[in-house]
PDB file of all heavy atoms in Angstrom:
ATOM      1  N   VAL A  94      52.632 101.846  86.959  1.00 91.00           N
ATOM      2  CA  VAL A  94      53.324 100.674  86.035  1.00 91.00           C
ATOM      3  C   VAL A  94      54.611 100.380  86.607  1.00 91.00           C
ATOM      4  O   VAL A  94      55.177 101.120  87.382  1.00 91.00           O
ATOM      5  CB  VAL A  94      53.546 101.364  84.621  1.00 91.00           C
ATOM      6  CG1 VAL A  94      52.196 101.621  83.943  1.00 91.00           C
ATOM      7  CG2 VAL A  94      54.354 102.527  84.609  1.00 91.00           C
ATOM      8  N   PRO A  95      55.119  99.206  86.345  1.00 86.00           N
ATOM      9  CA  PRO A  95      56.451  98.732  86.882  1.00 86.00           C
ATOM     10  C   PRO A  95      57.524  99.619  86.290  1.00 86.00           C
ATOM     11  O   PRO A  95      57.450 100.138  85.132  1.00 86.00           O
ATOM     12  CB  PRO A  95      56.576  97.350  86.245  1.00 86.00           C
ATOM     13  CG  PRO A  95      55.231  96.794  85.936  1.00 86.00           C
ATOM     14  CD  PRO A  95      54.355  98.068  85.564  1.00 86.00           C
ATOM     15  N   ARG A  96      58.456  99.877  87.078  1.00 76.00           N
ATOM     16  CA  ARG A  96      59.605 100.745  86.626  1.00 76.00           C
ATOM     17  C   ARG A  96      60.503  99.960  85.778  1.00 76.00           C
ATOM     18  O   ARG A  96      61.096  98.877  86.156  1.00 76.00           O
ATOM     19  CB  ARG A  96      60.480 101.212  87.960  1.00 76.00           C
ATOM     20  CG  ARG A  96      61.631 102.028  87.648  1.00 76.00           C
ATOM     21  CD  ARG A  96      62.268 102.521  89.016  1.00 76.00           C
ATOM     22  NE  ARG A  96      63.325 103.365  88.836  1.00 76.00           N
ATOM     23  CZ  ARG A  96      64.667 102.917  88.698  1.00 76.00           C
ATOM     24  NH1 ARG A  96      64.774 101.525  88.816  1.00 76.00           N
ATOM     25  NH2 ARG A  96      65.589 103.617  88.561  1.00 76.00           N
ATOM     26  N   VAL A  97      60.759 100.407  84.558  1.00 69.00           N
ATOM     27  CA  VAL A  97      61.516  99.699  83.578  1.00 69.00           C
ATOM     28  C   VAL A  97      62.673 100.637  83.006  1.00 69.00           C
ATOM     29  O   VAL A  97      62.462 101.329  82.080  1.00 69.00           O
ATOM     30  CB  VAL A  97      60.640  99.189  82.359  1.00 69.00           C
ATOM     31  CG1 VAL A  97      61.518  98.305  81.431  1.00 69.00           C
ATOM     32  CG2 VAL A  97      59.549  98.440  82.811  1.00 69.00           C
ATOM     33  N   PRO A  98      63.822 100.549  83.649  1.00 63.00           N
ATOM     34  CA  PRO A  98      64.995 101.394  83.172  1.00 63.00           C
ATOM     35  C   PRO A  98      65.417 100.953  81.829  1.00 63.00           C
ATOM     36  O   PRO A  98      65.392  99.694  81.583  1.00 63.00           O
ATOM     37  CB  PRO A  98      66.064 101.163  84.373  1.00 63.00           C
ATOM     38  CG  PRO A  98      65.388 100.629  85.530  1.00 63.00           C
ATOM     39  CD  PRO A  98      64.249  99.828  84.912  1.00 63.00           C
ATOM     40  N   LEU A  99      65.901 101.841  81.007  1.00 63.00           N
ATOM     41  CA  LEU A  99      66.409 101.369  79.710  1.00 63.00           C
ATOM     42  C   LEU A  99      67.900 101.390  79.723  1.00 63.00           C
ATOM     43  O   LEU A  99      68.454 102.513  79.888  1.00 63.00           O
ATOM     44  CB  LEU A  99      65.877 102.429  78.651  1.00 63.00           C
ATOM     45  CG  LEU A  99      64.389 102.534  78.481  1.00 63.00           C
ATOM     46  CD1 LEU A  99      64.098 103.553  77.456  1.00 63.00           C
ATOM     47  CD2 LEU A  99      63.709 101.170  78.067  1.00 63.00           C
ATOM     48  N   PRO A 100      68.567 100.220  79.776  1.00 57.00           N
ATOM     49  CA  PRO A 100      69.988 100.250  79.909  1.00 57.00           C
ATOM     50  C   PRO A 100      70.720 100.994  78.667  1.00 57.00           C
ATOM     51  O   PRO A 100      70.194 100.870  77.528  1.00 57.00           O
ATOM     52  CB  PRO A 100      70.379  98.757  79.840  1.00 57.00           C
ATOM     53  CG  PRO A 100      69.010  98.000  80.079  1.00 57.00           C
ATOM     54  CD  PRO A 100      67.996  98.932  79.637  1.00 57.00           C
ATOM     55  N   ARG A 101      71.644 101.683  79.012  1.00 59.00           N
ATOM     56  CA  ARG A 101      72.382 102.494  77.995  1.00 59.00           C
ATOM     57  C   ARG A 101      73.495 101.693  77.446  1.00 59.00           C
ATOM     58  O   ARG A 101      74.020 101.939  76.305  1.00 59.00           O
ATOM     59  CB  ARG A 101      72.947 103.804  78.515  1.00 59.00           C
ATOM     60  CG  ARG A 101      71.889 104.783  78.960  1.00 59.00           C
ATOM     61  CD  ARG A 101      72.478 106.039  79.523  1.00 59.00           C
ATOM     62  NE  ARG A 101      71.441 106.986  79.969  1.00 59.00           N
ATOM     63  CZ  ARG A 101      71.031 107.951  79.171  1.00 59.00           C
ATOM     64  NH1 ARG A 101      71.284 107.990  77.847  1.00 59.00           N
ATOM     65  NH2 ARG A 101      70.044 108.765  79.654  1.00 59.00           N
ATOM     66  N   LYS A 102      73.912 100.592  78.047  1.00 57.00           N
ATOM     67  CA  LYS A 102      74.933  99.751  77.626  1.00 57.00           C
ATOM     68  C   LYS A 102      74.569  98.310  77.772  1.00 57.00           C
ATOM     69  O   LYS A 102      73.733  97.921  78.489  1.00 57.00           O
ATOM     70  CB  LYS A 102      76.225  99.961  78.439  1.00 57.00           C
ATOM     71  CG  LYS A 102      76.778 101.410  78.370  1.00 57.00           C
ATOM     72  CD  LYS A 102      77.950 101.517  79.326  1.00 57.00           C
ATOM     73  CE  LYS A 102      78.605 103.010  79.241  1.00 57.00           C
ATOM     74  NZ  LYS A 102      79.712 103.134  80.183  1.00 57.00           N
ATOM     75  N   PRO A 103      75.186  97.352  76.884  1.00 54.00           N
ATOM     76  CA  PRO A 103      74.848  96.010  76.971  1.00 54.00           C
ATOM     77  C   PRO A 103      75.158  95.396  78.389  1.00 54.00           C
ATOM     78  O   PRO A 103      76.089  95.740  79.003  1.00 54.00           O
ATOM     79  CB  PRO A 103      75.836  95.275  75.970  1.00 54.00           C
ATOM     80  CG  PRO A 103      76.248  96.397  75.015  1.00 54.00           C
ATOM     81  CD  PRO A 103      76.187  97.650  75.813  1.00 54.00           C
ATOM     82  N   SER A 104      74.088  94.736  78.953  1.00 54.00           N
ATOM     83  CA  SER A 104      74.250  94.242  80.329  1.00 54.00           C
ATOM     84  C   SER A 104      73.141  93.137  80.492  1.00 54.00           C
ATOM     85  O   SER A 104      72.311  92.835  79.579  1.00 54.00           O
ATOM     86  CB  SER A 104      74.077  95.332  81.345  1.00 54.00           C
ATOM     87  OG  SER A 104      72.625  95.758  81.226  1.00 54.00           O
ATOM     88  N   ALA A 105      73.166  92.452  81.709  1.00 57.00           N
ATOM     89  CA  ALA A 105      72.186  91.494  81.982  1.00 57.00           C
ATOM     90  C   ALA A 105      70.761  92.150  82.038  1.00 57.00           C
ATOM     91  O   ALA A 105      69.710  91.632  81.660  1.00 57.00           O
ATOM     92  CB  ALA A 105      72.363  90.823  83.298  1.00 57.00           C
TER      93      ALA A 105
END
Side-chain angles (χ1 to χ4, degrees):
V94 295
R96 181 176 179 272
V97 185
L99 299 178
R101 294 180 181 272
K102 298 178 181 179
S104 65

